[in-house]
Amino acid sequence: MDRDIPTIYLIPVTLGDSPVDRVLPSYNLEVIHRVSYFIVENVRSARRFLKACDRSIDIDSLHFSELNQHTAPEQIPALLGPAEEGHDIGVISEAGCPAVADPGADVVAIAQRRGYRVVPLVGPSSILLSLMGSGFNGQSFTFNGYLPIDQSARTAKMHEMERRIMRENQTQIFIETPYSNNKLIAELSRTLPQSLLLCVASDITCSRQSIITQPLSKWARATYNYDKIPTIFLLYK
């Protein structure tokens, strides 16, 4: 590879209160130390993450640009300005792996078109970790993101996931706003066949981690409280 080509490093972030040295390899820290330009989802949390990696890092000497849901598409190419000048750039999400269910994918697409070197670093992905712990099909799966808010569309989406499970043997993965986790479990239990399996993977890699797979019939009778806790939901048969 030509060392003059700038590198876009995709730097995973810890999930919740996970200790850095428990979930991130030391090589990530080496990369962080040699990068001065960062594209981040939130500057404040990115600064906090970098300080957690190494308190000796001079945060004020670094350069941050934000890329989030408020960034207009026409503004994204300019975020790679430092790379045009030959600088490497680190991309940091709010949590987990950048560019996976994350706006960082937009800047990576531009970097690929421009011929920059793109290097994803090893780190936690709540989507993959929950799939690993679910016992579900890990060869065919889809991440649906958030379910629709509109009730009719939401119910239709649930039945669509059910059909894909039964016809394609495909694991269905999705998320909900944390304050609605309990409501979603109850809704799934009312709407879908009781024999379907639901895995609730909560607070992955963190102090309250819980990964429970059981039929919807058991969830309908279970006592639980996932209120305001980051959680991934998976359905299978």
Side-chain angles (χ1 to χ4, degrees):
M1 289 186 180
D2 186 347
R3 286 301 305 162
D4 292 333
I5 299 175
T7 299
I8 310 303
Y9 291 102
L10 308 181
I11 303 172
V13 174
T14 53
L15 303 172
D17 60 7
S18 306
V20 171
D21 58 0
R22 177 180 169 183
V23 295
L24 299 178
S26 59
Y27 178 70
N28 291 24
L29 185 58
E30 295 177 25
V31 169
I32 287 170
H33 272 290
R34 61 174 181 256
V35 173
S36 298
Y37 293 86
F38 293 90
I39 297 172
V40 304
E41 194 169 357
N42 179 279
V43 171
R44 187 174 181 179
S45 61
R47 290 167 64 98
R48 186 164 57 245
F49 164 69
L50 294 174
K51 270 298 185 183
C53 289
D54 187 345
R55 296 193 62 82
S56 71
I57 293 175
D58 181 6
I59 298 293
D60 293 333
S61 69
L62 305 178
H63 306 273
F64 296 93
S65 298
E66 282 195 339
L67 171 60
N68 50 44
Q69 68 271 28
H70 304 297
T71 307
E74 61 270 18
Q75 295 175 316
I76 297 176
L79 301 179
L80 289 168
E84 295 179 11
E85 300 172 0
H87 299 286
D88 294 339
I89 297 177
V91 179
I92 298 177
S93 176
E94 273 285 82
C97 296
V100 178
D102 175 78
D106 294 330
V107 80
V108 173
I110 296 171
Q112 289 283 7
R113 290 198 295 269
R114 293 183 179 179
Y116 299 149
R117 185 182 299 111
V118 176
V119 177
L121 301 183
V122 174
S125 164
S126 59
I127 297 171
L128 289 179
L129 291 171
S130 63
L131 178 61
M132 290 166 61
S134 68
F136 294 167
N137 188 351
Q139 295 192 63
S140 178
F141 56 90
T142 188
F143 177 64
N144 295 279
Y146 291 96
L147 300 186
I149 296 175
D150 175 78
Q151 190 57 57
S152 60
R154 188 176 177 87
T155 300
K157 181 63 178 180
M158 290 182 180
H159 287 301
E160 177 194 333
M161 292 193 296
E162 176 194 351
R163 287 192 295 271
R164 297 186 74 175
I165 291 168
M166 303 310 293
R167 294 176 182 175
E168 304 173 33
N169 294 320
Q170 186 179 77
T171 300
Q172 301 296 306
I173 309 173
F174 48 101
I175 54 177
E176 181 57 282
T177 51
Y179 59 81
S180 296
N181 287 335
N182 295 337
K183 179 181 177 182
L184 175 59
I185 295 172
E187 188 178 5
L188 290 166
S189 300
R190 290 193 307 269
T191 305
L192 297 176
Q194 296 291 286
S195 60
L196 274 185
L197 296 175
L198 171 66
C199 175
V200 179
S202 180
D203 216 26
I204 296 293
T205 75
C206 300
S207 57
R208 299 174 295 177
Q209 176 173 289
S210 170
I211 303 176
I212 299 175
T213 295
Q214 58 187 7
L216 285 173
S217 59
K218 286 192 175 182
W219 282 111
R221 302 189 304 269
T223 299
Y224 51 81
N225 186 11
Y226 296 102
D227 187 45
K228 299 178 182 177
I229 303 174
T231 301
I232 302 284
F233 299 91
L234 307 92
L235 282 172
Y236 195 56
K237 59 183 179 179

